[in-house]
Amino acid sequence: MNHQARILRTGRKFDQVLEGAREVFMADGFEGGSVDDIARVAGVSKATLYSYFPDKRLLFIEVLRHECERQECGVDSLVPSGCDVREALEVAAGRFLNVLLSEFSQRMFRICVAEAERFPELGRMFYQSGPMLVRARLTEFFREAVDRGALQITDFELAADQFTELCKADLFTQVVFNGPSEASAEDKARIVNGAVDTFLARYGV
């Protein structure tokens, strides 16, 4: 079924409905987010809400689709230009770690896991708009670095996956299992430096 074709995206209150639904769903998930709460937070009547989204499932998918589009922003600038390899990797690792530890990423991760059976498409959307794009950008950078003799890599996608996994060490696992917490600059620097040192020990020239 083409969910998106059934959604009316015109009208002055569409964005209002979407933002209200975003606030409720990101806080309470699909099951916990009621249509009454969404209408109240959005400041619209239930009739108005249903005129845009006749099904709560459609509204939930639309909210998550928009959140995934937001996630795409900034991927192109993940790796800075005009730097040596170590500096570029340190910046990329720091930016990636900040995204991983953000409240947005954690909520999206938990929603995708919690709703995996009911909405299997959410995991695919989240992966394609985030991890897949990060992998592609890192792969592009690694190929450029190899071409100029700064790295030695043969399996570029594996190297990209290894780099992102190194950036997840310790802090990401703590946040996932212990709930949101504010990581110190020292903690982040320890993860970033360890990730870059380990990666360059394997692939550096």
Side-chain angles (χ1 to χ4, degrees), residues 180-202:
S181 60
E182 187 66 31
S184 68
E186 292 76 14
D187 287 337
K188 291 180 181 179
R190 181 172 66 88
I191 299 302
V192 167
N193 292 333
V196 174
D197 287 345
T198 302
F199 187 83
L200 290 179
R202 172 64 180 86

Side-chain angles (χ1 to χ4, degrees), residues 72-121:
E72 294 180 18
C73 298
V75 171
D76 288 341
S77 61
L78 176 70
V79 184
S81 58
C83 307
D84 64 26
V85 168
R86 174 176 286 277
E87 184 179 352
L89 289 176
E90 287 174 349
V91 172
R95 290 174 177 172
F96 181 64
L97 183 59
N98 284 334
V99 171
L100 282 178
L101 298 180
S102 69
E103 183 180 4
F104 162 75
S105 290
Q106 290 302 310
R107 286 186 176 184
M108 285 291 291
F109 178 81
R110 290 189 175 94
I111 286 173
C112 287
V113 171
E115 305 294 348
E117 292 188 9
R118 186 184 286 113
F119 299 98
E121 65 267 46

Side-chain angles (χ1 to χ4, degrees), residues 14-168:
F14 175 79
D15 291 339
Q16 213 171 309
V17 170
L18 203 62
E19 187 56 36
R22 176 185 183 275
E23 182 177 334
V24 172
F25 283 140
M26 293 295 279
D28 301 328
F30 176 78
E31 197 65 39
S34 72
V35 172
D36 287 331
D37 287 340
I38 294 169
R40 176 178 52 77
V41 171
V44 300
S45 67
K46 287 175 67 175
T48 297
L49 189 153
Y50 282 126
S51 71
Y52 290 109
F53 298 95
D55 186 329
K56 187 173 116 172
R57 290 173 59 89
L58 295 179
L59 178 54
F60 183 71
I61 291 171
E62 183 73 359
V63 167
L64 270 293
R65 187 180 70 82
H66 273 254
E67 293 307 299
C68 286
E69 287 178 355
R70 291 188 190 189
Q71 183 175 255
E72 294 180 18
C73 298
V75 171
D76 288 341
S77 61
L78 176 70
V79 184
S81 58
C83 307
D84 64 26
V85 168
R86 174 176 286 277
E87 184 179 352
L89 289 176
E90 287 174 349
V91 172
R95 290 174 177 172
F96 181 64
L97 183 59
N98 284 334
V99 171
L100 282 178
L101 298 180
S102 69
E103 183 180 4
F104 162 75
S105 290
Q106 290 302 310
R107 286 186 176 184
M108 285 291 291
F109 178 81
R110 290 189 175 94
I111 286 173
C112 287
V113 171
E115 305 294 348
E117 292 188 9
R118 186 184 286 113
F119 299 98
E121 65 267 46
L122 293 183
R124 291 191 294 271
M125 266 195 302
F126 186 70
Y127 177 77
Q128 290 169 359
S129 67
M132 189 174 77
L133 295 181
V134 170
R135 180 200 237 194
R137 179 65 189 97
L138 287 172
T139 297
E140 178 186 18
F141 170 73
F142 293 158
R143 289 186 186 278
E144 293 169 354
V146 167
D147 288 343
R148 64 176 187 267
L151 290 174
Q152 300 181 89
I153 298 173
T154 54
D155 190 333
F156 293 95
E157 291 188 342
L158 175 62
D161 291 341
Q162 289 172 332
F163 183 73
T164 55
E165 289 302 313
L166 287 169
C167 295
K168 293 180 180 180

